[in-house]
């Protein structure tokens, strides 16, 4: 059976990009695979998190997994900080990965911005913790959005170097699972920027907890250009010169399981006002019930915490023996 691992940070504002790029695929992959889905709270604190908000957001991401259809009995659903093996393996990887590798990480450069000297050391070594998340279970497949590709390449490099250094084929070389065209959902305000939890404008994203009126308003106000919906002809334009138009078509395609060509065939040449109504309808139909289920689960934190506790126990049973082997390979006395 293939072992799958993925993680989502509890940093608030879960949005349509998180759903289409990652969480939706978690439920789709659960049949026939051995899956671990993790709320990565230790990654979250690489930038400042208010402690009370962090707790709430950890439950919210868990609720999103469940509301998206992840079965916590068939899969292991848990939060990272309760399984100490993640931090333990991350330390080993801090000693395996090279500074030069981390210096190339574009996400660090984006997040640290101009104030690099002020970024936390945790933010810098973030990819090593991510490699540890995956390899503590020897997972081989990782469903993520496109923005995580570079981090997964680093995970492969870390595994390879560990195996070479210690002369043992111990860790597998992971494969990213970047599943569909919605692997990169763009902002509703600017089609050249990805939809993000941290964008100041709430109008840039559709949150998974938005009610139907809010979803409708955000899609109606989404930026487009004056031309009709692209129809696939050269005059209809390209993703490069009409990024907002193509983003809405990709969102619609992903929500209805259709290709861009299908969407162009059905809506090409129409006015955006009409197409936006179609996008709103499917977005409300798909996200509405999920948002309600998330709210229902959030109102029962005892249940959510018990799901996490069950996952933690099972995660430790897998990661514990793997860490014992790592310590033996490294030469730590046990
Ligand atoms: P994060 O919010 O950074 O913890 O991301 C959680 C998951 O959502 C990761 O697999 C990301 O690749 C994915 N993701 C985040 N933003 C987007 C986006 N705009 N489009 C597609 N996937 C995304
Ligand atoms: N870095 C990922 C993100 O920002 C979250 C993450 C942490 C993750 N550990 C992981 C994703 C392990 C996949 C596997 O989206």
């Amino acid at each position: 059976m293939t072992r799958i691992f993925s993680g989502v940070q509890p940093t608030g504002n879960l949005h349509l990009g998180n759903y289409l790029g990652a969480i939706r695929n978690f439920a789709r992959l659960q049949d026939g695979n051995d899956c671990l889905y993790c709320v990565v709270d230790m990654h979250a604190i690489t930038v400042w998190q208010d402690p009370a908000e962090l707790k709430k957001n950890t439950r919210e991401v868990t609720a999103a997994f469940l509301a998206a259809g992840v079965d916590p009995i068939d899969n292991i659903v848990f939060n990272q900080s309760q399984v100490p093996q993640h931090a333990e393996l991350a330390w080993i990887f801090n000693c395996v990965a090279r500074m030069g590798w981390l210096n190339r990480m574009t996400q660090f450069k984006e997040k640290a911005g101009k104030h690099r000297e002020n970024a936390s050391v945790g933010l810098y070594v973030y990819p090593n913790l991510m490699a540890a998340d995956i390899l503590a279970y020897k997972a081989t497949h990782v469903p993520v959005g496109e923005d995580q590709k570079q981090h997964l390449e680093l995970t492969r490099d870390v595994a390879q170097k560990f195996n070479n250094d210690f002369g043992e084929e111990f860790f597998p070389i992971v494969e990213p699972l970047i599943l569909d065209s919605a692997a990169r959902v763009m902002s509703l305000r600017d089609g050249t920027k990805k939809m993000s939890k941290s964008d100041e404008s709430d109008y840039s994203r559709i949150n998974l907890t938005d009610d139907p009126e809010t979803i409708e308003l955000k899609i109606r106000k989404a930026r487009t250009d004056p031309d009709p919906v692209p129809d696939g002809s050269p005059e209809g334009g390209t993703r490069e010169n009409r990024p907002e138009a193509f983003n809405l078509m990709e969102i619609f395609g992903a929500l209805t399981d259709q290709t861009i060509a299908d969407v162009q065939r059905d809506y090409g040449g129409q006015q955006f006002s009409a197409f936006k109504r179609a996008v709103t309808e499917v977005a409300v139909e798909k996200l509405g019930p999920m948002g309600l289920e998330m709210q229902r689960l959030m109102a029962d934190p005892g249940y959510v915490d018990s799901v996490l506790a069950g996952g933690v126990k099972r995660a430790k049973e897998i990661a514990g023996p793997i860490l014992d082997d790592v310590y033996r390979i490294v030469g730590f006395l046990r």
Side-chain angles (χ1 to χ4, degrees), residues 137-152:
Y137 305 93
K138 294 190 177 179
T140 54
H141 291 74
V142 184
V144 281
E146 210 169 74
D147 59 344
Q148 295 303 310
K149 230 170 144 174
Q150 195 185 35
H151 287 159
L152 292 181

Side-chain angles (χ1 to χ4, degrees), residues 15-16 19-20 23-24 27-28 63-69 180 206-212 215-216 219 250-258 277-294:
H15 54 71
L16 185 64
Y19 177 64
L20 293 176
I23 300 172
R24 172 168 81 160
R28 293 182 168 180
F65 289 174
L66 303 180
D180 50 39
I206 296 175
N207 297 314
L208 298 186
T209 47
D210 281 346
D211 58 29
I215 294 176
E216 197 268 333
I219 295 176
E250 274 167 8
I251 289 174
F252 184 81
L255 286 169
T256 54
D257 285 313
Q258 298 185 91
R277 282 196 289 278
V279 180
T280 301
E281 202 174 305
V282 293
V284 167
E285 183 190 308
K286 300 275 168 172
L287 301 182
M290 215 175 103
L292 288 176
E293 178 64 2
M294 277 174 72

Side-chain angles (χ1 to χ4, degrees), residues 37 102 130 272 278 283 328:
Y37 295 127
L102 293 172
M130 180 161 163
F272 260 99
R328 175 185 54 73

Side-chain angles (χ1 to χ4, degrees), residues 34-262:
D34 167 14
C35 304
L36 295 114
Y37 295 127
C38 185
V39 188
V40 288
D41 46 10
M42 289 160 60
H43 276 108
I45 64 160
T46 55
V47 298
W48 169 252
Q49 302 297 323
D50 174 79
E53 283 290 306
L54 182 60
K55 276 190 191 150
K56 177 181 149 274
N57 290 335
T58 300
R59 292 187 180 118
E60 186 176 280
V61 174
T62 312
F65 289 174
L66 303 180
V70 171
D71 179 339
I73 306 293
D74 279 351
N75 307 283
I76 300 181
V77 174
F78 69 107
N79 62 316
Q80 187 184 30
S81 62
Q82 291 203 72
V83 179
Q85 283 81 7
H86 292 243
E88 293 177 13
L89 188 56
W91 179 255
I92 305 286
F93 289 168
N94 284 344
C95 303
V96 172
R98 306 288 95 183
M99 299 273 287
W101 303 358
L102 293 172
N103 286 340
R104 285 197 288 274
M105 295 292 115
T106 55
Q107 187 167 301
F108 174 77
K109 289 181 198 161
E110 276 164 26
K111 286 199 179 176
K114 291 192 203 88
H115 309 289
R116 238 194 223 216
E117 298 289 310
N118 258 333
S120 73
V121 177
L123 188 67
Y124 185 68
V125 294
Y126 175 117
N128 292 341
L129 178 59
M130 180 161 163
D133 295 339
I134 300 163
L135 296 174
Y137 305 93
K138 294 190 177 179
T140 54
H141 291 74
V142 184
V144 281
E146 210 169 74
D147 59 344
Q148 295 303 310
K149 230 170 144 174
Q150 195 185 35
H151 287 159
L152 292 181
E153 272 155 25
L154 186 116
T155 301
R156 293 161 67 100
D157 291 344
V158 167
Q160 214 133 36
K161 184 163 188 329
F162 182 96
N163 293 349
N164 283 343
D165 286 352
F166 295 101
E168 194 170 326
E169 285 308 300
F170 185 73
F171 287 120
I173 305 305
V174 301
E175 290 293 337
L177 279 178
I178 296 173
L179 287 175
D180 50 39
S181 62
R184 192 167 169 84
V185 177
M186 309 311 280
S187 156
L188 299 181
R189 309 298 303 163
D190 177 351
T192 63
K193 272 178 28 192
K194 73 171 183 174
M195 188 176 283
S196 148
K197 289 169 173 172
S198 55
D199 196 311
E200 288 147 32
S201 168
D202 204 48
Y203 282 93
S204 68
R205 63 182 161 259
I206 296 175
N207 297 314
L208 298 186
T209 47
D210 281 346
D211 58 29
E213 292 70 37
T214 311
I215 294 176
E216 197 268 333
L217 183 66
K218 286 179 176 176
I219 295 176
R220 185 149 47 82
K221 288 196 172 279
R223 181 164 158 196
T224 42
D225 51 46
D227 291 338
V229 177
D231 57 4
S233 71
E235 299 76 51
T238 62
R239 183 178 285 97
E240 282 63 43
N241 58 23
R242 302 190 62 195
E244 286 86 11
F246 275 83
N247 187 38
L248 278 183
M249 295 203 307
E250 274 167 8
I251 289 174
F252 184 81
L255 286 169
T256 54
D257 285 313
Q258 298 185 91
T259 62
I260 283 282
D262 294 332

